[in-house]
Amino acid sequence: MGIPYVLDVNLVWTLNKALRRYGQANFRISHKNPKPVMENFGPLMIRYRTKLKLASVLWLEGFREACCLHRVAIYCLRSKQLMIRTGQCFLLNGFIFLGSIFILRSLILPTLERILPFGVADGYQESCLSEMPIRLYALLRLGLLQLIYALWFYPLYIFSFILSTIWYNDIAQFGLMVTEKDGSTMASSSQKEPSTSQNATPVDKPTDLGGVMIGIAEQGYSLLLLTFFFLEVYLTGFVPYIGKALNFVLLSWMYAYYCFEYKWNFSGLSLDKRLDFFESNWAFFAGFGSPCVLAIFFFSPLVSYGVMAVLFPMFVLTAAGSDADSVINSHKMKWRGEELGKLPIFYAADKLLMRILSLLPMEPQEQTSDKKAL
């Protein structure tokens, strides 16, 4: 029975020495009257628990805002142009693109399997192998499928991507016009979220030539930033064990940013304010982007694109009608002003982009001015 006591005394002596070394002698532990060190972390644990509850509530609010698809029907009924653009988007991506994939899988592939079968029956194996090798069947099937993809699906994908990008911009513009006429969302935004309203200050929405150039530069940088972020999302899918979960969360943020970016573009909100607002309210936007990802997460890439191309305008319209700032502030007031803290979502993509831009050759300003003088 003496050995455990000696070990306990030695352990207490080692802990006391380590605590004195780091200037925490007030936490000395006595083997006669030990005090648990975890008691000092009680308030910290309570604070983190509160933040976790707030993050869960904001995630659910974002999810609920994204699922308010009834706004799409209301806005389309109030704007004929919006109804036409939304219908065109559904016709191209839902009927033609997804319909082509359905025809390929339900009609073309079974027909090719019948004409060029994968194998033969046991009784006819020798005669069939002498007339037509099985490898030739496989090559013919593969060649026909690649020909179908090259002549139909890939051109249709590019055509759909370009045309849908233009239509998404029109859909967001018409949707914001409807909300402005309605006066519900935009009026509250002008009072509670002046930086994202249509009545933005000249600093947020410049009209001179320099401001226009700054806006173009911000749009280009935003496009490159999201491109590198998409690369980051793609690479996280290969991380063992947690790759799928990370991929889901990052995709949720990416699609949420895409949906709200149209609203922020038309309101004239600067890029640094967009990123700050997005990263400061990361839980809400993670919830908003989750329905987008759930709709496509378990499909193949082509089917996922077609489904998202159909659903994306609906989420853009729900984002246009969502007053995110008011929803977030109302819950922060319920939680006595508790803040989640800023999460650097785009940190890695921003650092990588800045690193690549720093490698580009840039002519010094003095040499440029000397050339102009000559």
Side-chain angles (χ1 to χ4, degrees):
M1 296 298 292
I3 294 177
Y5 179 78
V6 173
L7 291 176
D8 183 66
V9 171
N10 291 333
L11 178 62
V12 171
W13 180 81
T14 305
L15 290 174
N16 279 324
K17 184 178 179 180
L19 291 173
R20 286 197 300 270
R21 181 179 179 183
Y22 287 97
Q24 298 178 0
N26 55 329
F27 289 102
R28 290 181 179 177
I29 302 175
S30 173
H31 66 279
K32 296 180 180 180
N33 187 20
K35 294 182 180 180
V37 181
M38 291 301 296
E39 290 182 358
N40 299 283
F41 296 97
L44 187 62
M45 295 299 295
I46 294 175
R47 185 179 178 184
Y48 279 118
R49 193 179 304 163
T50 304
K51 287 182 178 293
L52 181 60
K53 291 180 180 179
L54 177 59
S56 301
V57 171
L58 290 178
W59 188 92
L60 290 174
E61 284 295 327
F63 192 93
R64 185 185 64 83
E65 285 289 318
C67 293
C68 293
L69 299 179
H70 63 278
R71 297 173 183 170
V72 180
I74 296 174
Y75 297 159
C76 289
L77 291 176
R78 293 179 180 178
S79 175
K80 184 178 180 181
Q81 294 174 319
L82 179 60
M83 183 184 295
I84 292 173
R85 279 287 182 265
T86 307
Q88 288 174 337
C89 190
F90 177 80
L91 181 64
L92 174 61
N93 300 298
F95 185 76
I96 298 178
F97 189 83
L98 289 178
S100 299
I101 296 177
F102 177 77
I103 293 174
L104 174 67
R105 293 184 175 181
S106 62
L107 182 62
I108 297 178
L109 285 179
T111 303
L112 288 178
E113 290 176 3
R114 290 182 180 181
I115 299 175
L116 304 172
F118 286 94
V120 293
D122 295 335
Y124 301 94
Q125 185 172 2
E126 295 182 359
S127 60
C128 288
L129 287 176
S130 61
E131 296 176 0
M132 183 68 70
I134 301 300
R135 291 183 179 180
L136 183 58
Y137 287 162
L139 289 176
L140 287 175
R141 283 195 308 270
L142 180 61
L144 289 175
L145 284 178
Q146 292 300 322
L147 186 63
I148 293 172
Y149 276 101
L151 296 180
W152 179 247
F153 280 101
Y154 295 144
L156 181 62
Y157 174 82
I158 297 173
F159 178 75
S160 172
F161 181 82
I162 296 174
L163 203 57
S164 296
T165 303
I166 300 173
W167 287 347
Y168 294 157
N169 189 75
D170 294 340
I171 288 171
Q173 185 177 6
F174 296 146
L176 289 172
M177 290 174 61
V178 172
T179 57
E180 188 177 11
K181 291 178 181 179
D182 185 44
S184 57
T185 303
M186 299 306 297
S188 60
S189 298
S190 62
Q191 297 175 1
K192 300 179 181 180
E193 194 181 357
S195 60
T196 59
S197 65
Q198 292 291 340
N199 299 323
T201 60
V203 177
D204 291 333
K205 198 171 183 178
T207 56
D208 57 339
L209 181 59
V212 172
M213 296 300 296
I214 292 175
I216 295 175
E218 284 188 347
Q219 290 298 318
Y221 188 86
S222 177
L223 180 62
L224 291 174
L225 180 67
L226 291 176
T227 302
F228 281 98
F229 186 74
F230 178 77
L231 178 63
E232 179 184 347
V233 173
Y234 176 76
L235 293 177
T236 54
F238 298 98
V239 178
Y241 303 111
I242 61 172
K244 290 295 183 180
L246 286 175
N247 190 259
F248 183 89
V249 175
L250 293 178
L251 274 176
S252 300
W253 279 325
M254 187 181 71
Y255 283 119
Y257 188 89
Y258 278 141
C259 292
F260 279 89
E261 189 182 27
Y262 292 96
K263 180 180 180 180
W264 293 334
N265 279 336
F266 287 109
S267 63
L269 189 65
S270 59
L271 180 61
D272 56 342
K273 291 184 179 180
R274 298 182 203 178
L275 297 178
D276 182 73
F277 181 71
F278 191 90
E279 293 179 340
S280 299
N281 303 285
W282 50 269
F284 175 86
F285 291 107
F288 190 93
S290 295
C292 309
V293 183
L294 283 173
I296 65 171
F297 198 69
F298 303 100
F299 294 111
S300 62
L302 278 178
V303 177
S304 298
Y305 167 78
V307 173
M308 177 49 61
V310 174
L311 297 179
F312 187 71
M314 302 181 184
F315 292 116
V316 170
L317 290 176
T318 56
S322 173
D323 195 359
D325 192 72
S326 299
V327 174
I328 294 170
N329 287 335
S330 64
H331 284 281
K332 287 181 179 180
M333 291 177 63
K334 293 179 182 179
W335 291 80
R336 299 178 181 179
E338 187 69 34
E339 296 284 345
L340 288 177
K342 188 176 180 180
L343 186 65
I345 299 172
F346 300 100
Y347 178 81
D350 181 67
K351 286 297 181 182
L352 180 60
L353 178 57
M354 293 300 296
R355 180 65 177 173
I356 293 177
L357 292 178
S358 65
L359 298 177
L360 297 177
M362 299 182 64
E363 191 174 8
Q365 188 175 0
E366 296 180 357
Q367 295 182 6
T368 305
S369 60
D370 293 340
K371 288 182 180 181
K372 289 182 179 179
L374 293 175

